[in-house]
Amino acid sequence: MAELVGNCLIGQTGGPTAVVNASVAGVVAEALNHECIEEVYGSLNGVLGLLNEDFVDLAAESQQAIRGLRYTPGAALGSCRAKLKKPADFERVLAVFAAHNIRYYFHIGDGESQETAAKLAETAAAQNYELRVIGIPKTVENDLPATDHCPGYGSAIKYIGATVKELALDAEALGQGDLVTLVEVMGRNTGWLAAGSSLAKRRDHPNDPPHLVYLPEVPFSSEKFVEDVRRVLKREKHCVVVVGEGLVDKDGNYVAVETSTADAGHAQLGGVGEALKDIVEAQVGAKARVARLGVTQRAAAHLASKTDADEAFLAGQAAVKAAINGETAKLVTLVRGDGDQYTCETGLSALTEVVGNLKKLPREWINEDGVSLNFQFFRYATPLIQGEVTVPFDNGLPAYAKLAREGVDKTLPAYES
């Protein structure tokens, strides 16, 4: 196989995570080791940068800034929710790639956004433009198939678990058998994040908070919810409830929806905590309060998992190695070892196997009560939150990195979408 010489480009799409920039750092660090990659570019604001020819020169960044990406949250290159839709969009992107001799494209995103990467690889092949496209997984929801887990998930549940511990201590100080704390977490249509709150429990202390965990995988019943809360309050001074934003009833209807559509045409989920608060106060007669964690779950790099950050960096490195070896239209996956000691290496999966598929929390990991997790989940999730990322502080607050983002000259007329 002849060596492919040209430039590489990195794009970030969708919601950021605490470790998504570590994948960028991994790509840059590995790309600089290969002479066949002449320039290392970043696309500003995901696919919008592809269409608008908005690139920055990552090789011109200081090594300190690139290293700093390993502990910096957000999307250092900027992100977006937009997708390439029309054939003309893909033709435009290939024209931009040709103008800048882009031969390697690394797409950091969730399962849905990887459809863009898959179609780019398909379009390039149809036009005989030699391009190697590798997807790098990213999502706190942990709902990508093919990979054991997703970079971003471990840090999110580490933060959620720690927050639940702290909220529980606050509630214990005030509760007299009449206080319910409702913690609403992200996750869309899966319960991976809500399940992660269970890591707040001490080993061999099943009655520790969170006392109740409601997951989209288990149909919600308001009658059972009231019974569950009453049962906990008979035993404890307070009740901590964690609920996934995508909670549905037996008919598959969301318990709460803020707006019918959001970016990318999805329902804007949220408000389920307030909905359950109304039930508690009206039917249980207890005081209820809601803690909606919102985007803090994916932005809290000060409490990121070192395992998660290291694996995000590893995924970026693996993407470059795969592309150099001639792979294209593939997604980097994380593969868990079989031994008792946790290990993780990378693999590859076809992008077409990821697009349109959703990985749900296995039902067998949920206890028969429907509101607690069993040992299988703890065995799966506990290794993912291990270790702490060293974040520098300045004047008492985290000192995160920021790229200079030196622009690359445009060569094509502006694109009329």
Side-chain angles (χ1 to χ4, degrees), residues 277-299:
K277 176 177 183 252
D278 291 342
I279 295 174
V280 168
E281 294 182 339
Q283 299 185 42
V284 179
K287 179 182 177 182
R289 59 184 187 174
V290 178
R292 185 174 176 183
L293 303 190
V295 297
T296 57
Q297 309 162 76
R298 70 189 193 201

mmCIF file with all atom_site columns, all heavy atoms in Angstrom, residues 277-299:
data_model
loop_
_atom_site.group_PDB
_atom_site.id
_atom_site.type_symbol
_atom_site.label_atom_id
_atom_site.label_alt_id
_atom_site.label_comp_id
_atom_site.label_asym_id
_atom_site.label_entity_id
_atom_site.label_seq_id
_atom_site.pdbx_PDB_ins_code
_atom_site.Cartn_x
_atom_site.Cartn_y
_atom_site.Cartn_z
_atom_site.occupancy
_atom_site.B_iso_or_equiv
_atom_site.pdbx_formal_charge
_atom_site.auth_seq_id
_atom_site.auth_comp_id
_atom_site.auth_asym_id
_atom_site.auth_atom_id
_atom_site.pdbx_PDB_model_num
ATOM 1   N N   . LYS A 1 277 ? -41.522 16.447 41.637 1.00 0.00 ? 277 LYS A N   1
ATOM 2   C CA  . LYS A 1 277 ? -41.683 17.285 42.844 1.00 0.00 ? 277 LYS A CA  1
ATOM 3   C C   . LYS A 1 277 ? -43.157 17.556 43.103 1.00 0.00 ? 277 LYS A C   1
ATOM 4   O O   . LYS A 1 277 ? -43.635 17.478 44.251 1.00 0.00 ? 277 LYS A O   1
ATOM 5   C CB  . LYS A 1 277 ? -40.935 18.605 42.651 1.00 0.00 ? 277 LYS A CB  1
ATOM 6   C CG  . LYS A 1 277 ? -41.098 19.606 43.799 1.00 0.00 ? 277 LYS A CG  1
ATOM 7   C CD  . LYS A 1 277 ? -40.257 20.853 43.530 1.00 0.00 ? 277 LYS A CD  1
ATOM 8   C CE  . LYS A 1 277 ? -40.370 21.807 44.722 1.00 0.00 ? 277 LYS A CE  1
ATOM 9   N NZ  . LYS A 1 277 ? -41.146 22.972 44.478 1.00 0.00 ? 277 LYS A NZ  1
ATOM 10  N N   . ASP A 1 278 ? -43.899 17.853 42.045 1.00 0.00 ? 278 ASP A N   1
ATOM 11  C CA  . ASP A 1 278 ? -45.335 18.103 42.196 1.00 0.00 ? 278 ASP A CA  1
ATOM 12  C C   . ASP A 1 278 ? -46.045 16.874 42.749 1.00 0.00 ? 278 ASP A C   1
ATOM 13  O O   . ASP A 1 278 ? -46.949 16.993 43.594 1.00 0.00 ? 278 ASP A O   1
ATOM 14  C CB  . ASP A 1 278 ? -45.945 18.495 40.843 1.00 0.00 ? 278 ASP A CB  1
ATOM 15  C CG  . ASP A 1 278 ? -45.475 19.857 40.360 1.00 0.00 ? 278 ASP A CG  1
ATOM 16  O OD1 . ASP A 1 278 ? -44.960 20.638 41.188 1.00 0.00 ? 278 ASP A OD1 1
ATOM 17  O OD2 . ASP A 1 278 ? -45.607 20.128 39.151 1.00 0.00 ? 278 ASP A OD2 1
ATOM 18  N N   . ILE A 1 279 ? -45.648 15.693 42.289 1.00 0.00 ? 279 ILE A N   1
ATOM 19  C CA  . ILE A 1 279 ? -46.268 14.453 42.774 1.00 0.00 ? 279 ILE A CA  1
ATOM 20  C C   . ILE A 1 279 ? -45.960 14.244 44.255 1.00 0.00 ? 279 ILE A C   1
ATOM 21  O O   . ILE A 1 279 ? -46.843 13.891 45.048 1.00 0.00 ? 279 ILE A O   1
ATOM 22  C CB  . ILE A 1 279 ? -45.782 13.248 41.945 1.00 0.00 ? 279 ILE A CB  1
ATOM 23  C CG1 . ILE A 1 279 ? -46.257 13.370 40.501 1.00 0.00 ? 279 ILE A CG1 1
ATOM 24  C CG2 . ILE A 1 279 ? -46.268 11.933 42.566 1.00 0.00 ? 279 ILE A CG2 1
ATOM 25  C CD1 . ILE A 1 279 ? -45.706 12.294 39.578 1.00 0.00 ? 279 ILE A CD1 1
ATOM 26  N N   . VAL A 1 280 ? -44.700 14.474 44.631 1.00 0.00 ? 280 VAL A N   1
ATOM 27  C CA  . VAL A 1 280 ? -44.298 14.285 46.031 1.00 0.00 ? 280 VAL A CA  1
ATOM 28  C C   . VAL A 1 280 ? -45.097 15.200 46.949 1.00 0.00 ? 280 VAL A C   1
ATOM 29  O O   . VAL A 1 280 ? -45.658 14.769 47.967 1.00 0.00 ? 280 VAL A O   1
ATOM 30  C CB  . VAL A 1 280 ? -42.787 14.541 46.205 1.00 0.00 ? 280 VAL A CB  1
ATOM 31  C CG1 . VAL A 1 280 ? -42.427 14.627 47.692 1.00 0.00 ? 280 VAL A CG1 1
ATOM 32  C CG2 . VAL A 1 280 ? -41.984 13.446 45.533 1.00 0.00 ? 280 VAL A CG2 1
ATOM 33  N N   . GLU A 1 281 ? -45.163 16.462 46.596 1.00 0.00 ? 281 GLU A N   1
ATOM 34  C CA  . GLU A 1 281 ? -45.826 17.421 47.486 1.00 0.00 ? 281 GLU A CA  1
ATOM 35  C C   . GLU A 1 281 ? -47.330 17.207 47.539 1.00 0.00 ? 281 GLU A C   1
ATOM 36  O O   . GLU A 1 281 ? -47.953 17.386 48.594 1.00 0.00 ? 281 GLU A O   1
ATOM 37  C CB  . GLU A 1 281 ? -45.490 18.840 47.043 1.00 0.00 ? 281 GLU A CB  1
ATOM 38  C CG  . GLU A 1 281 ? -43.995 19.158 47.240 1.00 0.00 ? 281 GLU A CG  1
ATOM 39  C CD  . GLU A 1 281 ? -43.625 20.575 46.866 1.00 0.00 ? 281 GLU A CD  1
ATOM 40  O OE1 . GLU A 1 281 ? -44.381 21.212 46.102 1.00 0.00 ? 281 GLU A OE1 1
ATOM 41  O OE2 . GLU A 1 281 ? -42.572 21.041 47.337 1.00 0.00 ? 281 GLU A OE2 1
ATOM 42  N N   . ALA A 1 282 ? -47.918 16.784 46.415 1.00 0.00 ? 282 ALA A N   1
ATOM 43  C CA  . ALA A 1 282 ? -49.370 16.606 46.384 1.00 0.00 ? 282 ALA A CA  1
ATOM 44  C C   . ALA A 1 282 ? -49.806 15.275 46.974 1.00 0.00 ? 282 ALA A C   1
ATOM 45  O O   . ALA A 1 282 ? -50.849 15.206 47.652 1.00 0.00 ? 282 ALA A O   1
ATOM 46  C CB  . ALA A 1 282 ? -49.874 16.718 44.943 1.00 0.00 ? 282 ALA A CB  1
ATOM 47  N N   . GLN A 1 283 ? -49.025 14.216 46.756 1.00 0.00 ? 283 GLN A N   1
ATOM 48  C CA  . GLN A 1 283 ? -49.495 12.892 47.143 1.00 0.00 ? 283 GLN A CA  1
ATOM 49  C C   . GLN A 1 283 ? -48.748 12.273 48.323 1.00 0.00 ? 283 GLN A C   1
ATOM 50  O O   . GLN A 1 283 ? -49.305 11.436 49.034 1.00 0.00 ? 283 GLN A O   1
ATOM 51  C CB  . GLN A 1 283 ? -49.416 11.943 45.942 1.00 0.00 ? 283 GLN A CB  1
ATOM 52  C CG  . GLN A 1 283 ? -50.275 12.397 44.761 1.00 0.00 ? 283 GLN A CG  1
ATOM 53  C CD  . GLN A 1 283 ? -50.280 11.397 43.637 1.00 0.00 ? 283 GLN A CD  1
ATOM 54  O OE1 . GLN A 1 283 ? -50.371 10.195 43.855 1.00 0.00 ? 283 GLN A OE1 1
ATOM 55  N NE2 . GLN A 1 283 ? -50.187 11.888 42.398 1.00 0.00 ? 283 GLN A NE2 1
ATOM 56  N N   . VAL A 1 284 ? -47.500 12.659 48.524 1.00 0.00 ? 284 VAL A N   1
ATOM 57  C CA  . VAL A 1 284 ? -46.755 12.146 49.674 1.00 0.00 ? 284 VAL A CA  1
ATOM 58  C C   . VAL A 1 284 ? -46.879 13.099 50.863 1.00 0.00 ? 284 VAL A C   1
ATOM 59  O O   . VAL A 1 284 ? -46.869 12.674 52.014 1.00 0.00 ? 284 VAL A O   1
ATOM 60  C CB  . VAL A 1 284 ? -45.265 11.931 49.305 1.00 0.00 ? 284 VAL A CB  1
ATOM 61  C CG1 . VAL A 1 284 ? -44.478 11.412 50.506 1.00 0.00 ? 284 VAL A CG1 1
ATOM 62  C CG2 . VAL A 1 284 ? -45.142 10.955 48.147 1.00 0.00 ? 284 VAL A CG2 1
ATOM 63  N N   . GLY A 1 285 ? -46.995 14.377 50.557 1.00 0.00 ? 285 GLY A N   1
ATOM 64  C CA  . GLY A 1 285 ? -47.111 15.366 51.626 1.00 0.00 ? 285 GLY A CA  1
ATOM 65  C C   . GLY A 1 285 ? -45.786 15.739 52.236 1.00 0.00 ? 285 GLY A C   1
ATOM 66  O O   . GLY A 1 285 ? -45.741 16.295 53.343 1.00 0.00 ? 285 GLY A O   1
ATOM 67  N N   . ALA A 1 286 ? -44.703 15.464 51.545 1.00 0.00 ? 286 ALA A N   1
ATOM 68  C CA  . ALA A 1 286 ? -43.375 15.811 52.042 1.00 0.00 ? 286 ALA A CA  1
ATOM 69  C C   . ALA A 1 286 ? -42.846 17.033 51.301 1.00 0.00 ? 286 ALA A C   1
ATOM 70  O O   . ALA A 1 286 ? -43.295 17.355 50.198 1.00 0.00 ? 286 ALA A O   1
ATOM 71  C CB  . ALA A 1 286 ? -42.427 14.632 51.847 1.00 0.00 ? 286 ALA A CB  1
ATOM 72  N N   . LYS A 1 287 ? -41.884 17.690 51.903 1.00 0.00 ? 287 LYS A N   1
ATOM 73  C CA  . LYS A 1 287 ? -41.222 18.797 51.230 1.00 0.00 ? 287 LYS A CA  1
ATOM 74  C C   . LYS A 1 287 ? -40.287 18.225 50.171 1.00 0.00 ? 287 LYS A C   1
ATOM 75  O O   . LYS A 1 287 ? -39.595 17.235 50.406 1.00 0.00 ? 287 LYS A O   1
ATOM 76  C CB  . LYS A 1 287 ? -40.419 19.624 52.232 1.00 0.00 ? 287 LYS A CB  1
ATOM 77  C CG  . LYS A 1 287 ? -39.670 20.790 51.595 1.00 0.00 ? 287 LYS A CG  1
ATOM 78  C CD  . LYS A 1 287 ? -38.854 21.557 52.623 1.00 0.00 ? 287 LYS A CD  1
ATOM 79  C CE  . LYS A 1 287 ? -38.064 22.681 51.958 1.00 0.00 ? 287 LYS A CE  1
ATOM 80  N NZ  . LYS A 1 287 ? -37.221 23.418 52.929 1.00 0.00 ? 287 LYS A NZ  1
ATOM 81  N N   . ALA A 1 288 ? -40.275 18.837 48.997 1.00 0.00 ? 288 ALA A N   1
ATOM 82  C CA  . ALA A 1 288 ? -39.417 18.356 47.917 1.00 0.00 ? 288 ALA A CA  1
ATOM 83  C C   . ALA A 1 288 ? -38.619 19.502 47.320 1.00 0.00 ? 288 ALA A C   1
ATOM 84  O O   . ALA A 1 288 ? -39.099 20.641 47.262 1.00 0.00 ? 288 ALA A O   1
ATOM 85  C CB  . ALA A 1 288 ? -40.253 17.677 46.830 1.00 0.00 ? 288 ALA A CB  1
ATOM 86  N N   . ARG A 1 289 ? -37.427 19.198 46.899 1.00 0.00 ? 289 ARG A N   1
ATOM 87  C CA  . ARG A 1 289 ? -36.577 20.182 46.231 1.00 0.00 ? 289 ARG A CA  1
ATOM 88  C C   . ARG A 1 289 ? -35.899 19.500 45.050 1.00 0.00 ? 289 ARG A C   1
ATOM 89  O O   . ARG A 1 289 ? -35.680 18.282 45.051 1.00 0.00 ? 289 ARG A O   1
ATOM 90  C CB  . ARG A 1 289 ? -35.538 20.757 47.194 1.00 0.00 ? 289 ARG A CB  1
ATOM 91  C CG  . ARG A 1 289 ? -34.622 19.708 47.798 1.00 0.00 ? 289 ARG A CG  1
ATOM 92  C CD  . ARG A 1 289 ? -33.678 20.291 48.818 1.00 0.00 ? 289 ARG A CD  1
ATOM 93  N NE  . ARG A 1 289 ? -32.701 19.302 49.263 1.00 0.00 ? 289 ARG A NE  1
ATOM 94  C CZ  . ARG A 1 289 ? -31.688 19.580 50.068 1.00 0.00 ? 289 ARG A CZ  1
ATOM 95  N NH1 . ARG A 1 289 ? -31.510 20.813 50.526 1.00 0.00 ? 289 ARG A NH1 1
ATOM 96  N NH2 . ARG A 1 289 ? -30.839 18.642 50.422 1.00 0.00 ? 289 ARG A NH2 1
ATOM 97  N N   . VAL A 1 290 ? -35.568 20.292 44.033 1.00 0.00 ? 290 VAL A N   1
ATOM 98  C CA  . VAL A 1 290 ? -35.021 19.749 42.801 1.00 0.00 ? 290 VAL A CA  1
ATOM 99  C C   . VAL A 1 290 ? -33.619 20.309 42.561 1.00 0.00 ? 290 VAL A C   1
ATOM 100 O O   . VAL A 1 290 ? -33.405 21.522 42.661 1.00 0.00 ? 290 VAL A O   1
ATOM 101 C CB  . VAL A 1 290 ? -35.913 20.076 41.592 1.00 0.00 ? 290 VAL A CB  1
ATOM 102 C CG1 . VAL A 1 290 ? -35.294 19.542 40.296 1.00 0.00 ? 290 VAL A CG1 1
ATOM 103 C CG2 . VAL A 1 290 ? -37.312 19.513 41.785 1.00 0.00 ? 290 VAL A CG2 1
ATOM 104 N N   . ALA A 1 291 ? -32.694 19.416 42.248 1.00 0.00 ? 291 ALA A N   1
ATOM 105 C CA  . ALA A 1 291 ? -31.348 19.804 41.803 1.00 0.00 ? 291 ALA A CA  1
ATOM 106 C C   . ALA A 1 291 ? -31.194 19.312 40.369 1.00 0.00 ? 291 ALA A C   1
ATOM 107 O O   . ALA A 1 291 ? -31.094 18.106 40.133 1.00 0.00 ? 291 ALA A O   1
ATOM 108 C CB  . ALA A 1 291 ? -30.281 19.196 42.700 1.00 0.00 ? 291 ALA A CB  1
ATOM 109 N N   . ARG A 1 292 ? -31.224 20.226 39.434 1.00 0.00 ? 292 ARG A N   1
ATOM 110 C CA  . ARG A 1 292 ? -31.070 19.869 38.024 1.00 0.00 ? 292 ARG A CA  1
ATOM 111 C C   . ARG A 1 292 ? -29.627 20.168 37.626 1.00 0.00 ? 292 ARG A C   1
ATOM 112 O O   . ARG A 1 292 ? -29.234 21.332 37.520 1.00 0.00 ? 292 ARG A O   1
ATOM 113 C CB  . ARG A 1 292 ? -32.062 20.666 37.181 1.00 0.00 ? 292 ARG A CB  1
ATOM 114 C CG  . ARG A 1 292 ? -32.063 20.295 35.713 1.00 0.00 ? 292 ARG A CG  1
ATOM 115 C CD  . ARG A 1 292 ? -33.170 21.030 34.981 1.00 0.00 ? 292 ARG A CD  1
ATOM 116 N NE  . ARG A 1 292 ? -33.139 20.775 33.550 1.00 0.00 ? 292 ARG A NE  1
ATOM 117 C CZ  . ARG A 1 292 ? -33.960 21.330 32.674 1.00 0.00 ? 292 ARG A CZ  1
ATOM 118 N NH1 . ARG A 1 292 ? -34.905 22.164 33.099 1.00 0.00 ? 292 ARG A NH1 1
ATOM 119 N NH2 . ARG A 1 292 ? -33.858 21.059 31.390 1.00 0.00 ? 292 ARG A NH2 1
ATOM 120 N N   . LEU A 1 293 ? -28.865 19.119 37.385 1.00 0.00 ? 293 LEU A N   1
ATOM 121 C CA  . LEU A 1 293 ? -27.433 19.297 37.185 1.00 0.00 ? 293 LEU A CA  1
ATOM 122 C C   . LEU A 1 293 ? -27.094 19.947 35.854 1.00 0.00 ? 293 LEU A C   1
ATOM 123 O O   . LEU A 1 293 ? -26.068 20.607 35.733 1.00 0.00 ? 293 LEU A O   1
ATOM 124 C CB  . LEU A 1 293 ? -26.722 17.949 37.318 1.00 0.00 ? 293 LEU A CB  1
ATOM 125 C CG  . LEU A 1 293 ? -26.928 17.212 38.649 1.00 0.00 ? 293 LEU A CG  1
ATOM 126 C CD1 . LEU A 1 293 ? -25.980 16.031 38.732 1.00 0.00 ? 293 LEU A CD1 1
ATOM 127 C CD2 . LEU A 1 293 ? -26.757 18.136 39.846 1.00 0.00 ? 293 LEU A CD2 1
ATOM 128 N N   . GLY A 1 294 ? -27.919 19.744 34.836 1.00 0.00 ? 294 GLY A N   1
ATOM 129 C CA  . GLY A 1 294 ? -27.710 20.418 33.565 1.00 0.00 ? 294 GLY A CA  1
ATOM 130 C C   . GLY A 1 294 ? -26.339 20.150 32.966 1.00 0.00 ? 294 GLY A C   1
ATOM 131 O O   . GLY A 1 294 ? -25.770 19.069 33.118 1.00 0.00 ? 294 GLY A O   1
ATOM 132 N N   . VAL A 1 295 ? -25.804 21.147 32.281 1.00 0.00 ? 295 VAL A N   1
ATOM 133 C CA  . VAL A 1 295 ? -24.548 20.956 31.560 1.00 0.00 ? 295 VAL A CA  1
ATOM 134 C C   . VAL A 1 295 ? -23.340 20.835 32.484 1.00 0.00 ? 295 VAL A C   1
ATOM 135 O O   . VAL A 1 295 ? -22.246 20.491 32.027 1.00 0.00 ? 295 VAL A O   1
ATOM 136 C CB  . VAL A 1 295 ? -24.301 22.097 30.541 1.00 0.00 ? 295 VAL A CB  1
ATOM 137 C CG1 . VAL A 1 295 ? -25.379 22.101 29.476 1.00 0.00 ? 295 VAL A CG1 1
ATOM 138 C CG2 . VAL A 1 295 ? -24.227 23.447 31.232 1.00 0.00 ? 295 VAL A CG2 1
ATOM 139 N N   . THR A 1 296 ? -23.518 21.094 33.783 1.00 0.00 ? 296 THR A N   1
ATOM 140 C CA  . THR A 1 296 ? -22.386 20.917 34.699 1.00 0.00 ? 296 THR A CA  1
ATOM 141 C C   . THR A 1 296 ? -21.866 19.476 34.661 1.00 0.00 ? 296 THR A C   1
ATOM 142 O O   . THR A 1 296 ? -20.686 19.233 34.889 1.00 0.00 ? 296 THR A O   1
ATOM 143 C CB  . THR A 1 296 ? -22.784 21.271 36.141 1.00 0.00 ? 296 THR A CB  1
ATOM 144 O OG1 . THR A 1 296 ? -23.900 20.467 36.541 1.00 0.00 ? 296 THR A OG1 1
ATOM 145 C CG2 . THR A 1 296 ? -23.167 22.734 36.257 1.00 0.00 ? 296 THR A CG2 1
ATOM 146 N N   . GLN A 1 297 ? -22.752 18.516 34.346 1.00 0.00 ? 297 GLN A N   1
ATOM 147 C CA  . GLN A 1 297 ? -22.342 17.109 34.320 1.00 0.00 ? 297 GLN A CA  1
ATOM 148 C C   . GLN A 1 297 ? -21.273 16.839 33.283 1.00 0.00 ? 297 GLN A C   1
ATOM 149 O O   . GLN A 1 297 ? -20.460 15.936 33.443 1.00 0.00 ? 297 GLN A O   1
ATOM 150 C CB  . GLN A 1 297 ? -23.533 16.214 33.983 1.00 0.00 ? 297 GLN A CB  1
ATOM 151 C CG  . GLN A 1 297 ? -24.717 16.431 34.767 1.00 0.00 ? 297 GLN A CG  1
ATOM 152 C CD  . GLN A 1 297 ? -26.001 15.910 34.227 1.00 0.00 ? 297 GLN A CD  1
ATOM 153 O OE1 . GLN A 1 297 ? -26.258 14.720 34.281 1.00 0.00 ? 297 GLN A OE1 1
ATOM 154 N NE2 . GLN A 1 297 ? -26.816 16.797 33.734 1.00 0.00 ? 297 GLN A NE2 1
ATOM 155 N N   . ARG A 1 298 ? -21.305 17.567 32.191 1.00 0.00 ? 298 ARG A N   1
ATOM 156 C CA  . ARG A 1 298 ? -20.345 17.297 31.120 1.00 0.00 ? 298 ARG A CA  1
ATOM 157 C C   . ARG A 1 298 ? -19.199 18.304 31.111 1.00 0.00 ? 298 ARG A C   1
ATOM 158 O O   . ARG A 1 298 ? -18.275 18.159 30.309 1.00 0.00 ? 298 ARG A O   1
ATOM 159 C CB  . ARG A 1 298 ? -21.056 17.315 29.773 1.00 0.00 ? 298 ARG A CB  1
ATOM 160 C CG  . ARG A 1 298 ? -21.536 18.678 29.314 1.00 0.00 ? 298 ARG A CG  1
ATOM 161 C CD  . ARG A 1 298 ? -22.404 18.586 28.083 1.00 0.00 ? 298 ARG A CD  1
ATOM 162 N NE  . ARG A 1 298 ? -22.602 19.889 27.465 1.00 0.00 ? 298 ARG A NE  1
ATOM 163 C CZ  . ARG A 1 298 ? -23.602 20.167 26.643 1.00 0.00 ? 298 ARG A CZ  1
ATOM 164 N NH1 . ARG A 1 298 ? -24.480 19.238 26.349 1.00 0.00 ? 298 ARG A NH1 1
ATOM 165 N NH2 . ARG A 1 298 ? -23.696 21.370 26.108 1.00 0.00 ? 298 ARG A NH2 1
ATOM 166 N N   . ALA A 1 299 ? -19.251 19.317 31.973 1.00 0.00 ? 299 ALA A N   1
ATOM 167 C CA  . ALA A 1 299 ? -18.240 20.380 31.945 1.00 0.00 ? 299 ALA A CA  1
ATOM 168 C C   . ALA A 1 299 ? -17.306 20.357 33.148 1.00 0.00 ? 299 ALA A C   1
ATOM 169 O O   . ALA A 1 299 ? -16.347 21.123 33.190 1.00 0.00 ? 299 ALA A O   1
ATOM 170 C CB  . ALA A 1 299 ? -18.936 21.753 31.878 1.00 0.00 ? 299 ALA A CB  1
#
